[in-house]
Structure formats: structure tokens, C-alpha cells
Amino acid sequence: MSFFAELKHRNVFRVGAAYAVLAWLIVQVADVTTESFAAPEWVMKILIIFVLLGLPIALFLAWAFELTPEGVKKASDLPANVPKDPRSGHMLSRLTIAGLLLAVAWLGWDKLQGPTTTDVVTDKSIAVLPFSDFSPDGDQGWFADGLTDEILNALARASDLRVASRTSSFRYRDTDRDVPKIASELGVAHILEGSVRRAGDRLRVTAQLIRAADDVHLWSDTFDGNSDDSITIQETIALKIAQALQTAMDPDELQRMISAGTTSVEAWELYLRADALTNASVGSASDGLRLLEQAVAIDPEFVDAHIEIASFWFQHLNPAASRKYDAPITRDEASRRFYESIANAERYARSEVTRAEYQSLRARFDIRLFDYIDALKRIVAARPDSAPTAAELMSGYVLVGDYDAARLAGLRAKALSEAMNDSGEGVFQYLHRVDLDAALEMAQASLRRPNVTADTLYQAHRVLLYAGLIDEAARVAKLHNDRETDASSIAMVNVRQACAEGRTADADVIYAGLDKIGFGDLLDNRWLFLRTLGRDHDATEAVRYLDEGDGLFALSGFLHYTHFDPTPFPNLMAKLESQGIERPPPTPIPFACKR
């Protein structure tokens, strides 16, 4: 008998076939169960190794032993002329057929559960929910939020992927709503959620991408490692999501998308801590600045940290912004630090569109307003589906007094914001100045959303007053004051409401009280209080000191208000005239106190 015939005679082929089918089924079932129990990756690897090692053992046993009516016996002990018991072969055939039927059933069930790599993703939209902190001491929230932000920002760089804003998605922290409900409220087709567990140097991050239409997991994974692996984990998650949603990106753009901006884990974690301080409003904004400065000292090419430093000084020098340095510093020194950081950001920019972003910030600081608008146009061209970019272009047109162009850009931003089902306060806070009806529609829609933030209430309250809806504004003012923690913001809302209701004396008392509680971050912005109070001359005098040197940038910030009159400020007027900018006459504040 030939060797091939002997293999067939001893059922070696049947055993191999049965083993392959059953091993495949075992691996498929194990893949699902280990995922459900969030088992580490090494569990599946060990199982696959054992399955592979088991094949030669099964084949050896089939060759060496024979199933007979008297039981299992060594094949070498059986006489060569004894006929083979057919039952063992029949049993193996039945086992193989049963395994194949199970495999077909499994493949059919798996197909119903979710898409394969050949499925086409038709709605490329996603919201990244804040990752949960499951660390033993519950003290890694800053890391969980930072990781979430980095993944969100990376995905937002994909030109064909719509990503819900941080403000919108972070409203669902610790929510009990199910994924389809959240996705419906945010207007997205997919949700990414996850968790972080960090103890000492050990790190575990879980992430799962869910298709909201049927609550199916398209992708999930668990990453185990140490703190040195945190950048790699963040980049891997962003890459996996981009691949799962089939984003159309060339390799260079994809690499820019997933890049954390630094290879230094220490610098990256300092950046995340600074980001957490900024977004959570915990501690001094200057504390975050110092962390960023440490990060660029470690990695001088860390562009994201450079731009955050530049943004800090940009806001510090802007009276309408809330981030201020907590120590005495001259405007000249603050300006020097801005220029240094923005130059580094431009030098190490990872793409032309991000370089245009940095150039727009520099042009805005220099009050080169048409250069600012040109840079914004380039960004809009590269990111045509970005509502925040369209909204910034609208604000740029307001600065130069081109209200028709501002309205067109604003309506585009409105449409994009509504397509993303975003709260939209970043749009209607400017849109009401050039299209009140459109802004009112947005504001009222935002108030019907769940978990409305204090910022949204602040902006919506002003729009309602502009529209003359004083009673509705009063209800929004109460909601705002219940949720806001900044005394100056509460005072601004109360002054507006009192003036709108004709309670001028009450508005004056509120304003006088600011001398006791302090103007806080709005120190230079007392102009806005005085204009609302109807004290126009006092408002002009309050900011006259800005009409010189670097103060001009701060003064130019008031050009965002259509009721700001630049004519009393000769240096600002000279700056505008040198660029051929002619703003329309200032518009009145309809709800201002009457004097």
C-alpha cells in the first residue's frame, strides 16, 4: 500500500479536515467573546498558537491510533489484513459536515451583525464622546479628556468626515442615553466611545466605534501598555476609525491627521494637562500656559503646543476674550511672546492649511484685515464642510464692514452647523448682526436641545433681546444664571435684561456692584456694559487708552460689534483707512437703557 493510500486508510485526511473546520469555529467564537469581556490581545494570540500547534498533534494521533469496535488501539498492533471499521470514517465525515454547516450559519449571522471590509459607508459622520476614567483613584480625567480631544481633532482633519464639535459631544458625559438617541440628537451616523484605566505606569485604553442605525459595533479594540505607548494608542485609534469610515485621504494627509505633533510622551502629556485646564476651567489659565512652555522646552518642534501658546497671548491681548495672564506683564512683552510662538507654529506646521490658520492669526493680530480674510478663504477652500471656519470668515467680513459678504458666509455656516446638528452658538453670536431672522431661528433651535450650556444660553439671550422677545429672554436669563459661575457674565446678562425691561435703575445698581466683585476677565470690556447702559460717551472714554501701540489690536476687537463706532479713535481709523476699509455707520443696540 502506498504512503498516500495509507494516510487515507488511517483517516488522516478526514481528521485534518474536521480539525480545520472546528478550529476555525473556535477562533471565531473566541474573537467575539474576548471582545465582549475586554480581554487583552494576548489571549487571542495564545489561543491561535495552541490551535496551530494542535493540528500536527491531531494528525499524528490519526496516524498512530485506530478506532475499533473494541476501542482505541495502536495502528501498529492491528494485523494488516484486518478490514477497517467504517464507523470511524463515517463519524469524522459527519463531524466535518456538521462543522461546515455551523461555519455557514456563523458567516450568515456575522454578515447580519455589521459590515465587512467591502461595505460602503454612505454617511461619514461621527461624534467622539468623552472617554470615561476607570482608573483606581479616578484622577486621570485630564488624560481621558485629552485623549478624546486628540482623537476628535485628528478625525476633524479628514476632509470628507463630518465630526461633531467638542462642545456638542462633551455634553453627553456620563449620560444614560443610548447610542442611537445620542447620535440622533447630534445628527451623526456613528459614535466613538471608550475608557481609560491608568494605574502607575500601566495603561489600558478601550475604544469602540458604533453604527447608530442598528447599534452595531463596527470596530472595537483594547490597548494595553505603559505610559510610553500613549501617543501610539491615540494615533492607532484615529487611524482605525479613519479606515473603518473609509475616509478618502492620501498617505501624507492621513499621516498628518493621526500625528500627535510630537514623539515625546512627556511633552504630549504636558499638552494634555494644559488642554484639560483650558476646557474644564479648572485652575488658572496661566497654569496651562506654563505646562505648554514646559512641553516646547522638551520638544521645540511641538507645533500644537506652540499654537496654543500663541492663542493664549492672542486672547490675553484681546479685551473680549476670557483668558488672561495672572501676573503683571506689559503689552509689549505679551506681544513679543505671541510673535515668537506664532513664528514657531508657522515654521513647524504640518500642512499648508494649518500654516494658513497660523498666518490668519498673525494677520488678525497685526490688524491686516484683508490678509486675514484671504487666509480664511484658503482655509474654507480646504475645509468646505467646516462650520467653525465658515463662521470665522463671517466674523472677518464683519470686521471690515462687508455685511453682505458676512451674511452669505454666515448662512453657509448656519447650514453646515445644522447639518451637524450642532448647538451653533459659534455661528449665531455673529449672524444676528447681519441676519437677525436666521440667527433667531438658530438660537431658538439651540434652546430646544438637551443639556444646553451656559455659553449657548448667554449667546441666545442676546439674540432674543435683539429680536424683541423680552419675556422669552427673561426665562433664558434665569437658566443662564443658574448654570454660569462667572459673576461678570451673570452681571452682563442681568444688565441687558434690566435695560430691555426698562429697569434702568436696576441696571445701574448691577453695574456699580461690579466695582466690588470685580470685572474679572471683562476688565477692558466695560465698554460693552456702558454701551448697554446707554452711556455711550463713557464707553468711548473707557477704551480710549487702547488707541495706541499694541493696544490697537485690542481696540480692533470691538469691530466685531456692528454698534461700535471707530471714528473717535484716530489711530484705529488711520489703520482702517490705510487698507481702504469703510465701515457702515454704527447700528443702535435696540435693548439699551434709555437715558
Side-chain angles (χ1 to χ4, degrees), residues 123-205:
D123 190 342
K124 298 181 182 182
S125 58
I126 187 173
V128 183
L129 301 187
F131 279 33
S132 301
D133 177 20
F134 290 162
S135 302
D137 296 330
D139 59 351
Q140 296 298 308
W142 64 271
F143 182 82
D145 284 356
L147 188 68
T148 307
D149 280 334
E150 289 301 292
I151 294 170
L152 189 155
N153 292 334
L155 294 175
R157 297 186 186 110
S159 59
D160 63 340
L161 183 62
R162 294 187 298 116
V163 183
S165 69
R166 184 188 196 278
T167 301
S168 297
S169 59
F170 269 62
R171 288 186 289 116
Y172 293 90
R173 185 193 299 276
D174 301 325
T175 183
D176 57 358
R177 285 182 173 84
D178 57 25
V179 164
K181 178 67 173 175
I182 294 173
S184 175
E185 292 175 354
L186 290 174
V188 296
H190 304 89
I191 294 290
L192 178 68
E193 60 182 13
S195 65
V196 169
R197 180 181 177 85
R198 200 177 192 189
D201 194 45
R202 299 302 301 165
L203 175 66
R204 166 173 285 194
V205 177

Side-chain angles (χ1 to χ4, degrees), residues 56-69:
I57 296 174
L59 296 177
F60 170 76
L61 293 175
W63 172 270
F65 295 92
E66 184 64 60
L67 182 64
T68 70

Side-chain angles (χ1 to χ4, degrees), residues 148-410:
T148 307
D149 280 334
E150 289 301 292
I151 294 170
L152 189 155
N153 292 334
L155 294 175
R157 297 186 186 110
S159 59
D160 63 340
L161 183 62
R162 294 187 298 116
V163 183
S165 69
R166 184 188 196 278
T167 301
S168 297
S169 59
F170 269 62
R171 288 186 289 116
Y172 293 90
R173 185 193 299 276
D174 301 325
T175 183
D176 57 358
R177 285 182 173 84
D178 57 25
V179 164
K181 178 67 173 175
I182 294 173
S184 175
E185 292 175 354
L186 290 174
V188 296
H190 304 89
I191 294 290
L192 178 68
E193 60 182 13
S195 65
V196 169
R197 180 181 177 85
R198 200 177 192 189
D201 194 45
R202 299 302 301 165
L203 175 66
R204 166 173 285 194
V205 177
T206 63
Q208 48 192 3
L209 176 66
I210 304 169
R211 186 174 59 202
D214 47 13
D215 208 13
V216 165
H217 288 63
L218 300 184
W219 169 85
S220 65
D221 210 338
T222 298
F223 303 89
D224 287 297
N226 55 41
S227 296
D228 290 342
D229 301 316
S230 56
I231 291 179
T232 301
I233 290 172
Q234 172 255 306
E235 293 179 343
T236 300
I237 293 174
L239 177 60
K240 294 292 186 182
I241 299 304
Q243 291 173 336
L245 296 182
Q246 302 167 12
T247 58
M249 304 180 74
D250 61 56
D252 290 340
E253 182 63 24
L254 186 62
Q255 183 59 42
R256 284 193 291 270
M257 185 201 82
I258 66 173
S259 173
T262 181
T263 57
S264 168
V265 172
E266 184 180 2
W268 189 64
E269 292 203 357
L270 288 167
Y271 176 82
L272 295 188
R273 287 183 181 274
D275 182 66
L277 287 173
T278 299
N279 289 309
S281 298
V282 176
S284 166
S286 299
D287 292 338
L289 173 66
R290 295 180 184 102
L291 292 174
L292 293 168
E293 289 172 339
Q294 293 176 42
V296 297
I298 295 170
D299 182 357
E301 297 184 10
F302 192 179
V303 62
D304 292 354
H306 282 301
I307 193 60
E308 284 302 312
I309 294 172
S311 297
F312 176 91
W313 291 116
F314 181 90
Q315 293 190 54
H316 170 82
L317 290 161
N318 187 342
S322 60
R323 296 169 73 185
K324 305 293 180 185
Y325 196 51
D326 61 1
I329 188 171
T330 65
R331 288 187 176 277
D332 286 343
E333 176 60 17
S335 298
R336 186 195 66 77
R337 295 191 186 187
F338 166 80
Y339 281 121
E340 179 182 41
S341 298
I342 200 68
N344 284 326
E346 289 184 50
R347 181 180 301 116
Y348 302 121
R350 285 173 284 174
S351 69
E352 287 307 310
V353 66
T354 56
R355 182 171 284 108
E357 289 178 344
Y358 309 152
Q359 290 170 346
S360 73
L361 197 64
R362 182 197 288 269
R364 176 66 193 89
F365 186 76
D366 291 338
I367 323 180
R368 293 182 285 109
L369 299 184
F370 287 122
D371 289 343
Y372 172 58
I373 290 173
D374 287 343
L376 291 178
K377 287 179 179 178
R378 282 184 278 138
I379 300 169
V380 168
R383 297 174 180 165
D385 296 327
S386 170
T389 302
E392 188 173 0
L393 180 59
M394 168 179 55
S395 74
Y397 282 125
V398 171
L399 286 171
V400 299
D402 189 346
Y403 298 154
D404 290 336
R407 180 176 181 273
L408 292 176

Side-chain angles (χ1 to χ4, degrees), residues 425 427-433 435-444 456-469 473 496 590-591:
E425 70 269 14
V427 176
F428 64 74
Q429 69 167 311
Y430 293 108
L431 184 59
H432 78 275
R433 298 163 192 175
D435 193 327
L436 179 57
D437 290 340
L440 178 61
E441 180 186 338
M442 288 193 77
Q444 291 177 322
T456 299
L457 292 165
Y458 180 91
Q459 300 296 346
H461 176 259
R462 178 168 52 188
V463 173
L464 292 170
L465 289 180
Y466 264 94
L469 302 176
R496 285 173 175 159
F591 51 84

